[in-house]
Amino acid sequence: MPALPSSPRMVGRHNELAALLEAFDEAAGGRPRTVVVRGEAGVGKTRLVQEFLALVTTDHFGAGHPSADVEDDASSSVVAFGQCVDLGPIGAPFGPIRRVLRDLHEAVGTETLRQAAGSAAAIASLAALVPGIADAATEHDEPAGEFAEAIEVLLEGLSRRRHVVVVLEDLQWADAATMALLKTLASTLRGRRLTIVATYRSDDIDRFHPLRPVLAELDRTRSVVRVEVVPLTLDEVAEQVEQLASGLDPRVVEALAERSGGIPFLVEELVDLGDRALPDTLRELVLARYMRLGAEAQQVVRTMAAGGVHVEDDVLSAVATLDEQVLDAAVREAIDTRVITADGAGYAFRHALTREAVEAEMLPSERVRVHRRYAEHLGDHRGDSPDDASAVAEHWLVARDLPAAFDATVAALHQSRTRFSPATSAKLAERLAELWEQVPDAEARAGTSLPALHLDAAQDWHDLGDPERSLRSANEGLAVCPDDPLMRAALMRQRYVQTFNLEHTGHPSDLDEAVALLEGVDDRRARVLLSRVLTNMAIDEHGTDAAEHAARAIALAEEVGDDAALAVALTVEAWRLARDEDEDSAALAPLQRAVALRLDPSMRAYVGNALTHMLVSAGRLDEAVVVGTQHYEDVVRAGIERGSGAAIAQSVAFALFATGQPETALHYARRARRLMSRADAASTLRLLSSHLAWDDRPSERDDLLATERGRIEEAQRLYPDKAAWWVVERADAALTLHAREDTDAVTAVLAAAEHPEGSRTVARYAVLTAALLTHSPGRSGDPEVRARIERALDGWPDNELAGRVSRFVRAVLADGDGAPADDRVTAWRAIVDELTPGGMPTWHLQTARCRLAWALIDAGERDDAADLLAAITAEAPALGVARAARWAAELAAQARLVPTGTAAESETEAGIVASLTPRELQVLELVAEGLTNPQIGQRLFISPKTASVHVSAILAKIGAANRAEAAAQYVATAAAASSA
């Protein structure tokens, strides 16, 4: 009986399949998962994925296979395949993603896909990949957004309605744009029903392979599941052989296992040999079926191998030199021998290993001829397709026709740029640079110069967040640009920017040289570039020089009428005013002017983010919510949410938290967290951590910080200038109603406030936190700490946020100084009145209200204090400041403004000697905390003498010899009550 072509049932792989199913179930529950399946060629990765899909797309789980008219069914799943194709080291941008999108379009229909894409800009972008998704109006009237972002938004939107399963096969051949998108999806998309399964051949990935850094990034992502497919064991090989050809001698099976190395594909090939002699090498084994073909069939298969794993029928007919009947017979013979299979409108090799081995059989002259025919046919008939444009370039390269390869690469670069794929564009530009000297009239062919090509590549790498490669491209451009002042200046500026991004400090000499090159050049482009260079100089400098450079940058942009350059210059001027002159209100004017200019969506988002951030820094929080929300909606409509919306979303989230709108704030914070890179998202984690601290959820905060520790540490390494905000956040989390000694927190927060290059906004809040940590009524902190706080206040202007924080801090210091109660009431009442309409975060307003109530108690105005504390207790939790509500309840209890017998007191009484009075219970609890009699008096608003009397009575009643023994008894009885 002849052997079966492949095993009817998968052998082994139980743990691997379980891992895939578990990831699928987690994603179905709203926790997206990416599964990376790795293994050597022929080990069974594709078979494993097929078995997985067979389970999740049948009724085994009660869901059933989805139909195309299901529009909002969270229980149904839709599967889309993206096969990566070996189109050389560059490939067409988003090649496998195009196939994924077409599968999705076929599965859910045009209307559902349009709804999932959301904005008209995203639909316009996707129209190039999914023909028919855009209507006529959208195609002609709506500018396209960022291509990669449109794909991501579509998957996210669709996965709200359905469980989307995306399979990407053979990542070792993926183009750069696809790899970048996979990294983004795997690391940032949360809260949607999305399962991504990606496979790759591990034996192809050396340390220079472009997939390697992507895999390293995925390894740091918790939502990524790794599945290693290893060779079969001897018993598993025996099981596979039994399915293919039962009854073989066990010794033969053992020899098959040894010869195949447990690789299922090779087991099948060995079994297929039957009684024929075993080949001497692995290559001969893979070619065994091919060698049994006739001459015409072998020729067709070799021709196919030059075209890739899959070749369309019409392409094969055009490229092969056989007549139609001979070609059909040859293809049929290859299919019957199981070398290739029919695949849609074309043919595919049964395994990529076979294609690679067959291609190696081609003679050099044959290889040149066949690749030339592919290049000519695809160029004449299919050149508009991104896949074919890249394939044409690769075919001409193999055919050794460098001018034709150069021209085809120019065309592929044009297509890549129109599809917003900087990853592919950068690599195509680098290839053109490599071919430049080998091609006649390269500049005329490319329509650009070699330095300009390097400059474009540098910008592409910059857009991808790769400053090292961007710097390398800029330096390459400078090396071949001796006499063009405009181009050289642009490259010098690019080098400065990338050096700054890498080393956190630039080389001012680059900017100085750029200015010298541009001065006096009578060219509009030179003036625009000079304006941009001057803005870089203004950012890097302080004082008079910075002001002069910013002013001149603005003047140059106005002179030439370039709104984009003017917007950048005005934004830099705003930052300069806030940084150097401490004038947040004055800094708003240039930003308000900039945002009114005619700008493209990306530049408008840049200015809008700066304006929102500046409003927050000035304490104009309600305005920040309105302005930031509008700009965020604009970037979503423009299809550039990830690139430009993340920072705006974070600023809006802070403003919403600060104005007491925690639920809406959480929506924006979570959105920012999804949109940001791993390191950048640490800023949003800090925002969430601060919210949990003020909302009195310390355990949740601890869990968040523990879970995200690696991300936070990585961010602090990359962005040391942002570490001060974390210092303030941690110190804020340590605040209590009563000041206490916390030397480490105070030292750290004051150091953050005093950093000469630090943010002024950070300094304001750091000084305020230091004061709250060390001063409360009747308790003054260390004199040196007090002196440092005073020195900081003396250097602040009396305007907007600085003035409000200064008055707040001085009121806190007055509390610690023991100022007259009536004076404290007046001071705190003025602060509360000033902050109630806004101006500082609501957590500071609620803290001020607690301090006012404390002053009212000390002034004997107990009824007013009771009403205020009751209001805080009732209102603060809804504002996201539950900790202030707890402080208010504690203050009311300590001042005896609440009736005896509350839940807190009853719980304590149950665990201590029943003969103690409620006041004595309070005193004993403070004794157990280690407080002295004067400190107990401060807490309970009684004199130290009265506190001493209470302590003596307690010792007598419970039979304790001293305070330590009394404390021990309290702790023991409280613990017993708790466990009971």
Side-chain angles (χ1 to χ4, degrees):
M1 184 176 71
L4 294 176
S6 61
S7 309
R9 175 171 48 81
M10 184 175 69
V11 174
R13 314 303 188 208
H14 304 297
N15 293 336
E16 295 88 341
L17 183 59
L20 282 164
L21 292 172
E22 183 178 354
F24 177 86
D25 290 341
E26 295 228 351
R31 296 180 300 279
R33 289 290 180 265
T34 297
V35 185
V36 177
V37 181
R38 56 166 280 158
E40 59 185 292
V43 80
K45 301 180 294 296
T46 297
R47 181 62 180 268
L48 172 65
V49 172
Q50 290 171 345
E51 294 288 331
F52 158 70
L53 293 176
L55 289 173
V56 301
T57 57
T58 62
D59 286 334
H60 294 173
F61 297 97
H65 192 75
S67 60
D69 59 355
V70 177
E71 292 194 357
D72 194 3
D73 184 359
S75 67
S76 66
S77 60
V78 56
V79 177
F81 281 92
Q83 173 67 55
C84 301
V85 179
D86 186 5
L87 292 177
I90 298 177
F94 304 111
I97 300 300
R98 278 198 297 280
R99 291 178 272 277
V100 165
L101 295 179
R102 288 167 187 171
D103 278 359
L104 293 175
H105 188 203
E106 182 179 347
V108 304
T110 299
E111 188 56 36
T112 298
L113 213 62
R114 286 172 56 86
Q115 291 174 5
S119 70
I123 294 171
S125 296
L126 292 168
L129 296 185
V130 190
I133 187 177
D135 57 29
T138 301
E139 287 185 18
H140 293 95
D141 299 338
E142 186 65 34
E146 292 290 343
F147 210 60
E149 183 161 332
I151 297 168
E152 183 182 352
V153 168
L154 175 71
L155 290 175
E156 184 178 4
L158 190 58
S159 64
R160 290 193 188 101
R161 304 161 176 264
R162 307 273 285 275
H163 186 165
V164 177
V165 181
V166 174
V167 179
L168 298 174
E169 285 262 48
D170 291 316
L171 279 184
Q172 74 275 1
W173 295 325
D175 60 275
T178 295
M179 288 191 279
L181 180 65
L182 173 64
K183 184 169 66 173
T184 297
L185 288 173
S187 60
T188 63
L189 189 61
R190 296 181 173 87
R192 302 292 181 264
R193 293 178 291 275
L194 177 65
T195 304
I196 300 174
V197 179
T199 72
Y200 74 94
R201 280 164 45 168
S202 54
D203 44 335
D204 279 7
I205 310 301
D206 59 25
R207 62 194 184 94
F208 302 109
H209 197 287
L211 183 60
R212 191 178 183 90
V214 178
L215 296 172
E217 180 70 22
L218 294 179
D219 281 343
R220 294 194 293 268
T221 304
R222 289 192 311 277
S223 61
V224 174
V225 179
R226 296 148 200 88
V227 173
E228 176 88 20
V229 183
V230 298
L232 300 177
T233 65
L234 174 59
D235 289 342
E236 289 169 338
V237 169
E239 183 180 347
Q240 182 187 8
V241 170
E242 182 64 21
Q243 294 184 45
L244 295 169
S246 61
L248 292 184
D249 188 303
R251 291 172 296 180
V252 173
V253 172
E254 187 173 342
L256 284 172
E258 182 178 353
R259 193 67 181 272
S260 68
I263 303 299
F265 169 70
L266 299 182
V267 172
E268 292 177 359
E269 296 302 291
L270 287 167
V271 171
D272 183 71
L273 288 174
D275 296 331
R276 289 181 289 272
L278 287 176
D280 293 330
T281 66
L282 173 61
R283 178 172 170 274
E284 291 176 356
L285 172 62
V286 174
L287 286 172
R289 295 178 193 264
Y290 162 80
M291 298 302 294
R292 297 204 297 271
L293 297 174
E296 289 84 1
Q298 286 188 358
Q299 178 184 338
V300 169
V301 172
R302 288 197 305 275
T303 301
M304 265 191 65
V309 172
H310 173 94
V311 178
E312 295 290 302
D313 178 74
D314 63 321
V315 175
L316 182 62
S317 297
V319 174
T321 56
L322 301 175
D323 65 44
E324 186 175 324
Q325 289 184 342
V326 174
L327 176 63
D328 286 347
V331 169
R332 171 58 59 193
E333 182 182 354
I335 291 174
D336 290 343
T337 313
R338 299 194 295 273
V339 175
I340 64 174
T341 61
D343 182 25
Y347 312 101
F349 281 91
R350 201 166 66 86
H351 200 283
L353 282 173
T354 306
R355 188 202 74 83
E356 293 163 12
V358 169
E359 187 181 28
E361 288 287 292
M362 299 180 75
L363 295 171
S365 58
E366 179 185 24
R367 182 176 293 108
V368 169
R369 287 196 307 273
V370 172
H371 280 284
R372 176 178 288 276
R373 288 200 295 268
Y374 269 112
E376 290 171 343
H377 176 77
L378 293 175
D380 291 342
H381 297 86
R382 296 188 172 205
D384 292 338
S385 160
D387 275 350
D388 291 329
S390 293
V392 168
E394 293 297 330
H395 284 305
W396 280 125
L397 274 176
V398 179
R400 302 176 188 173
D401 190 331
L402 297 187
F406 187 91
D407 294 343
T409 304
V410 170
L413 177 59
H414 175 72
Q415 287 209 7
S416 177
R417 294 213 185 282
T418 60
R419 285 166 170 76
F420 309 103
S421 174
T424 303
S425 297
K427 293 190 173 185
L428 288 168
E430 289 179 348
R431 168 173 288 177
L432 287 176
E434 291 174 9
L435 295 174
W436 197 273
E437 297 297 333
Q438 305 174 63
V439 175
D441 303 320
E443 188 164 322
R445 290 174 179 273
T448 188
S449 67
L450 181 56
L453 196 65
H454 285 300
L455 180 61
D456 289 342
Q459 186 60 49
D460 288 328
W461 290 122
H462 172 76
D463 292 342
L464 289 166
D466 192 335
E468 186 173 354
R469 298 185 77 165
S470 181
L471 178 60
R472 188 187 314 159
S473 293
N475 283 327
E476 289 286 336
L478 286 167
V480 295
C481 184
D483 54 4
D484 183 343
L486 186 59
M487 181 57 62
R488 188 167 182 82
L491 288 162
M492 297 295 290
R493 176 179 177 271
Q494 187 71 251
R495 183 166 75 177
Y496 169 85
V497 170
Q498 302 314 323
T499 302
F500 186 93
N501 290 339
L502 274 172
E503 302 174 5
H504 302 291
T505 180
H507 294 165
S509 59
D510 283 344
L511 298 181
D512 293 337
E513 182 177 343
V515 170
L517 289 165
L518 295 170
E519 290 286 15
V521 177
D522 187 16
D523 186 299
R524 182 181 184 277
R525 295 172 302 158
R527 292 190 185 122
V528 171
L529 180 56
L530 181 55
S531 174
R532 297 298 295 270
V533 172
L534 289 168
T535 60
N536 290 121
M537 298 176 81
I539 292 170
D540 198 40
E541 296 167 342
H542 297 278
T544 303
D545 287 344
E548 291 177 353
H549 288 141
R552 190 173 175 216
I554 292 171
L556 282 167
E558 290 173 333
E559 178 186 331
V560 298
D562 190 295
D563 280 357
L566 180 57
V568 172
L570 289 168
T571 302
V572 169
E573 170 64 1
W575 291 124
R576 187 196 67 79
L577 287 168
R579 179 194 65 192
D580 290 355
E581 301 184 19
D582 209 359
E583 290 286 350
D584 288 339
S585 293
L588 292 171
L591 289 172
Q592 288 162 341
R593 180 186 170 195
V595 83
L597 297 170
R598 291 172 300 176
L599 304 172
D600 66 35
S602 294
M603 184 58 70
R604 183 172 300 283
Y606 165 77
V607 177
N609 176 51
L611 177 57
T612 305
H613 185 91
M614 197 65 71
L615 287 167
V616 168
S617 296
R620 293 164 67 166
L621 301 168
D622 288 318
E623 289 181 66
V625 170
V626 174
V627 171
T629 301
Q630 180 60 55
H631 281 285
Y632 181 77
E633 291 171 353
D634 287 346
V635 301
V636 171
R637 280 193 296 271
I640 54 173
E641 183 186 12
R642 175 173 296 283
S644 303
I648 299 176
Q650 180 168 298
S651 293
V652 171
F654 177 86
L656 287 164
F657 279 129
T659 52
Q661 304 174 69
E663 291 305 316
T664 310
L666 284 170
H667 165 75
Y668 279 95
R670 289 166 181 156
R671 190 64 190 162
R673 187 178 175 186
R674 291 191 198 105
L675 295 170
M676 288 178 167
S677 68
R678 173 182 169 85
D680 289 342
S683 296
T684 305
L685 293 173
R686 175 180 50 76
L687 194 60
L688 294 169
S689 175
S690 178
H691 165 63
L692 293 172
W694 281 107
D695 206 32
D696 215 23
R697 293 148 68 184
S699 296
E700 292 179 54
R701 175 180 176 273
D702 291 345
D703 290 344
L704 175 69
L705 295 179
T707 300
E708 300 289 353
R709 179 180 176 183
R711 186 193 301 258
I712 294 168
E713 291 177 349
E714 178 184 354
Q716 292 182 347
R717 286 193 304 272
L718 292 173
Y719 308 116
D721 54 314
K722 296 183 179 181
W725 276 115
W726 279 103
V727 172
V728 175
E729 191 279 331
R730 293 187 183 101
D732 270 355
L735 290 174
T736 58
L737 176 63
H738 298 271
R740 59 192 180 90
E741 293 293 336
D742 193 335
T743 305
D744 290 342
V746 173
T747 300
V749 83
L750 282 175
E754 295 165 349
H755 194 288
E757 298 296 325
S759 159
R760 295 185 186 276
T761 305
V762 172
R764 312 285 191 241
Y765 289 124
V767 169
L768 174 53
T769 301
L772 290 169
L773 279 169
T774 55
H775 292 73
S776 60
R779 178 182 176 84
S780 181
D782 180 270
E784 175 57 27
V785 171
R786 167 63 178 268
R788 292 170 70 182
I789 293 173
E790 290 278 9
R791 283 197 298 272
L793 296 179
D794 290 342
W796 292 359
D798 188 19
N799 61 15
E800 296 240 346
L801 181 64
R804 289 189 290 271
V805 175
S806 180
R807 289 185 285 278
F808 198 122
V809 172
R810 293 193 186 282
V812 173
L813 298 179
D815 281 349
D817 292 343
D822 289 343
D823 292 348
R824 289 165 47 217
V825 168
T826 300
W828 282 115
R829 200 182 297 280
I831 291 169
V832 170
D833 289 344
E834 181 180 18
L835 298 187
T836 296
M840 285 180 68
T842 187
W843 47 88
H844 291 135
L845 170 59
Q846 303 310 317
T847 301
R849 294 174 80 193
C850 287
R851 291 291 181 126
L852 172 57
W854 204 333
L856 288 169
I857 292 169
D858 289 350
E861 301 179 38
R862 296 173 62 81
D863 289 343
D864 287 349
D867 291 343
L868 179 56
L869 291 172
I872 297 169
T873 304
E875 297 165 7
L879 302 173
V881 198
R883 182 163 56 159
R886 174 168 58 80
W887 290 349
E890 290 175 3
L891 190 56
Q894 290 172 11
R896 311 303 296 164
L897 296 179
V898 294
T900 302
T902 62
E905 289 183 338
S906 300
E907 183 178 339
T908 304
E909 290 172 12
I912 196 65
V913 181
S915 61
L916 296 181
T917 67
R919 175 62 86 183
E920 288 169 344
L921 287 170
Q922 288 180 316
V923 171
L924 180 55
E925 182 179 8
L926 297 178
V927 167
E929 289 183 19
L931 271 61
T932 64
N933 289 342
Q935 290 171 332
I936 292 172
Q938 291 172 7
R939 286 282 188 96
L940 300 182
F941 308 98
I942 58 178
S943 69
K945 179 64 175 175
T946 303
S948 176
V949 171
H950 281 306
V951 171
S952 298
I954 290 168
L955 295 178
K957 285 186 177 181
I958 66 174
N962 50 45
R963 297 168 74 95
E965 187 175 329
Q969 287 193 34
Y970 172 82
V971 171
T973 53
S978 175
S979 62

